[in-house]
Amino acid sequence: MRLTPRPATASGTRRLARRHPAALLALFLCSTGGALAALALPAALGHTVDGLIDGGPVPWSGLLLCAVLTLAETGFDAGAAVLGTSTTARLTAHLRTRTTARVLAAEPRDALAVPTGDLTARLTARTADAAAAPVTAAGAVAGVLLPLGAVTGLLLIDPWTAAAFLLGAPLLVALLHTFTRRTADAGADYQRAQSVIAHRLTEALDGADTIRAARTGAREYRRILEPLGALADHGRRTWTVYGRATGQSALLLPLLMLLVLAVGGLRLHAGAIGVGDLVAASRYAALAVGIGALTGALGALARSRAAARTLDPLLTLAPLPHEGLGPLPGGPGHLEFRDVGVAQDGGPDGGPDGKPDGKPLLTEVHLTIPGGTSLAVVGRSGSGKSVFAAVAGRLLDPDTGTVLLDGVPLTAMDPALLRPEIAYAFARPALPGTTVGDTIAFGPWTAEPEAVRAAARAARADGFIGLLPYGYATPLTDAPLSGGERQRLGLARAFAHPGRLLILDDALSGLDTVTEHHVRRALDERAGRCTRVIVAHRLSSAARADRVLWLEDGRVRATGPHEELWADPEYRAVFRTETAEEAETGALPPPRTEVEAL
């Protein structure tokens, strides 16, 4: 399914309401119908009581009308509950899809400006809260209609009785206003504390192995739960607001009821109203003081508004700009960097001199990679290798310069047409899908089963997949995978979606020497048909590539065949630590011997 975001816009209640107008209209009608039935019932009941007191025949028609109104009120309320629940679920699904589409369509630097845990909380809990606003608003109409209609009924029965209720109404309105404002503030603070905990938990899960190895679990536990005190304070504050509002309502509403009944009793004694009128007035008074039930709806609306404010920065993310062009038909994957520069926290406008204004990650990279060849990107940690790989496949836009694929600037291509042309594999690949086969087939298009198995064989994943309980149909939750096996699944996914450009960002680091040898042979078989950019840490990967790009502090130190660069002792030093360790364990022969053999 392709997610195509619409132009940037905020998550307004009216915009959400336009998604399911028929369902919201039906909900509004059910809520209104239930309110009207509830308002008609006291009048019918009063008239029936008067008929019974008069001593005439039993007013069966009045009793039947009361029964019908009671059933109608119950039925309308049940319908409103069903419609409200189902519509909220559909609106939540829509809002989550739209927000996710906006995040995926934006440049990763912009989308990931929100911490991962906070982003997860916004895409799950916040969308549910924000999506409830239209349904809550539609249902709240009945909450307003009941007290207004009840006051009108009191006025029609006896103005003095209505005046008794209106005497205390300003206090009730002030109570609701204070409750709404305080609930909104407490809810926003609570959501912020939740986001902090979610972000820290996500960080800990991502670094679980490091935490275990460093034996810092207890410290991480305390760090994750440190905001829990603030969360508890905000939660208690929320319940305090609710408790005060409930307590004040519990005191105010019975006093209003008592005042209405006292005035009604006096008017009955004076002969101004009848017994039936008093019964109806007592019922209307109960409905009128029911305005206190609005506190729940107002609190929900306040939470929805607070959640919507956290979604607005995501929904207003600008999609990757493009001119709607696609790669040239049948292109071999000719990749060209023209004075490319990338800065940390930089922007497209750069500084006053037009250059990136943050810490430089790539600087003035000018490079041409012929189509169908392989390029190994090497350098010390922090030299810009992964940034180069991200720019090559437009996971990141350069702040200066241009990247072209087969003569077409990446920024001019429609992202929907660009994605099928570029396959990626990472050191720590995400594994979407339900089963092992699903995660290999996942991509710009769903790979056929034959392509999935062929890709798994090329990535040397077919062997361990065959040992799983159900093979390719094994659920990922039932497939314990090592780091190398996860990498092989990521490689298989890239092989199953061949394009003109294949980018491996440290995707071979978890493979043993034999497996890496077979995967490199599979990569070599794509020579001439696919350009391969390989972020390499191992000497063997660099030695096998057609050409090597040596990066140092974000700049191109040198390019050329590995054999030529090996003459530079500083180039050899890039691999010295790793090759020494592998030679010591017997995984590789000494560096120079390996180069001579190749």
Side-chain angles (χ1 to χ4, degrees):
M1 179 180 67
R2 181 180 296 171
L3 299 177
T4 304
R6 297 182 178 181
T9 179
S11 56
T13 301
R14 283 178 293 181
R15 171 170 290 277
L16 282 173
R18 288 196 290 269
R19 294 296 305 176
H20 297 286
L24 290 173
L25 177 60
L27 173 61
F28 171 78
L29 293 177
C30 283
S31 299
T32 304
L36 293 176
L39 290 172
L41 183 57
L45 186 61
H47 181 74
T48 303
V49 169
D50 283 338
L52 290 171
I53 292 176
D54 289 342
V58 177
W60 293 109
S61 59
L63 293 174
L64 180 60
L65 178 59
C66 291
V68 169
L69 290 174
T70 301
L71 291 175
E73 181 183 359
T74 304
F76 280 128
D77 289 345
V82 172
L83 285 169
T85 302
S86 59
T87 305
T88 299
R90 289 196 296 269
L91 289 175
T92 300
H94 161 72
L95 187 55
R96 283 176 179 165
T97 301
R98 186 158 65 96
T99 309
T100 303
R102 179 63 59 184
V103 171
L104 294 177
E107 187 179 0
R109 267 191 303 187
D110 295 334
L112 296 179
V114 179
T116 305
D118 188 11
L119 181 62
T120 302
R122 296 190 195 192
L123 292 176
T124 52
R126 303 295 175 270
T127 50
D129 288 338
V135 171
T136 304
V141 173
V144 175
L145 182 60
L146 278 174
L148 292 180
V151 172
T152 303
L154 286 174
L155 285 170
L156 293 176
I157 292 173
D158 181 56
W160 287 102
T161 307
F165 174 80
L166 294 176
L167 186 64
L171 294 176
L172 193 56
V173 173
L175 172 64
L176 292 177
H177 174 73
T178 303
F179 168 79
T180 304
R181 177 172 52 80
R182 291 179 178 175
T183 298
D185 294 340
D189 292 339
Y190 189 87
Q191 290 173 355
R192 280 191 289 270
Q194 275 185 321
S195 297
V196 172
I197 293 176
H199 173 57
R200 294 184 181 183
L201 178 60
T202 303
E203 284 183 330
L205 291 175
D206 287 341
D209 292 339
T210 302
I211 294 170
R212 189 181 300 112
R215 299 182 181 275
T216 57
R219 187 167 62 192
E220 281 299 305
Y221 179 84
R222 290 192 297 271
R223 186 181 73 91
I224 294 169
L225 297 185
E226 184 268 332
L228 198 59
L231 185 72
D233 290 340
H234 298 320
R236 281 192 292 269
R237 195 169 119 217
T238 301
W239 284 111
T240 298
V241 172
Y242 271 104
R244 288 178 178 173
T246 302
Q248 292 167 354
S249 299
L251 177 63
L252 179 59
L253 300 185
L255 289 177
L256 283 176
M257 279 287 297
L258 181 61
L259 182 60
V260 169
L261 291 176
V263 173
L266 292 175
R267 298 291 289 169
L268 175 64
H269 180 72
I273 61 175
V275 175
D277 292 332
L278 181 60
V279 172
S282 65
R283 294 284 299 174
Y284 279 130
L287 294 176
V289 298
I291 193 172
L294 277 175
T295 55
L298 292 174
L301 286 173
R303 289 192 301 274
S304 296
R305 290 183 61 185
R309 283 194 292 270
T310 66
L311 296 179
D312 285 343
L314 303 181
L315 291 167
T316 53
L317 285 172
L320 282 172
H322 63 87
E323 299 172 13
L325 302 179
L328 297 177
H334 183 88
L335 192 63
E336 186 176 357
F337 281 63
R338 294 181 179 174
D339 296 321
V340 169
V342 177
Q344 188 175 29
D345 299 326
D349 298 330
D353 57 356
K355 296 183 178 181
D357 56 0
K359 176 186 176 183
L361 303 178
L362 289 179
T363 304
E364 298 178 355
V365 175
H366 194 86
L367 180 71
T368 298
I369 308 171
T373 64
S374 61
L375 176 75
V377 185
V378 305
R380 290 185 173 86
S381 177
S383 60
K385 301 185 296 296
S386 292
V387 177
F388 179 90
V391 172
R394 211 194 176 189
L395 293 183
L396 181 68
D397 277 343
D399 296 312
T400 60
T402 307
V403 182
L404 299 93
L405 180 61
D406 289 324
V408 181
L410 294 185
T411 54
M413 299 181 191
D414 185 341
L417 298 177
L418 177 62
R419 281 300 129 223
E421 301 295 336
I422 303 175
Y424 260 98
F426 299 95
R428 299 177 63 186
L431 300 181
T434 304
T435 65
V436 172
D438 289 342
T439 196
I440 298 176
F442 185 88
W445 67 90
T446 302
E448 297 294 331
E450 296 79 10
V452 167
R453 285 174 169 77
R457 287 192 294 271
R460 303 293 288 180
D462 187 65
F464 76 80
I465 292 176
L467 299 177
L468 295 175
Y470 305 103
Y472 288 86
T474 303
L476 286 168
T477 54
D478 297 337
L481 301 173
S482 67
E485 289 169 344
R486 293 178 68 91
Q487 279 194 356
R488 279 183 272 174
L489 289 183
L491 286 165
R493 183 170 59 214
F495 290 158
H497 301 87
R500 66 185 69 194
L501 179 61
L502 173 61
I503 301 174
L504 307 184
D505 187 359
D506 202 19
L508 306 179
S509 60
L511 307 185
D512 60 79
T513 305
V514 174
T515 301
E516 183 192 2
H517 172 74
H518 286 285
V519 172
R520 287 205 312 264
R521 289 182 57 184
L523 291 172
D524 292 342
E525 292 174 359
R526 287 161 170 74
R529 297 181 287 112
C530 171
T531 302
R532 289 138 292 147
V533 176
I534 305 168
V535 173
H537 291 276
R538 291 181 177 177
L539 176 62
S540 54
S541 297
R544 201 177 186 101
D546 297 322
R547 191 178 180 194
V548 174
L549 169 65
W550 178 14
L551 291 176
E552 189 173 274
D553 296 329
R555 293 181 178 272
V556 178
R557 173 70 182 266
T559 61
H562 173 74
E563 291 80 359
E564 293 182 5
L565 296 178
W566 190 256
D568 189 331
E570 293 190 31
Y571 176 77
R572 295 198 299 270
V574 172
F575 302 95
R576 182 172 299 156
T577 302
E578 182 175 1
T579 54
E581 291 176 353
E582 292 182 334
E584 191 176 284
T585 59
L588 283 176
R592 190 170 297 277
T593 304
E594 180 183 5
V595 174
E596 292 172 352
L598 292 171

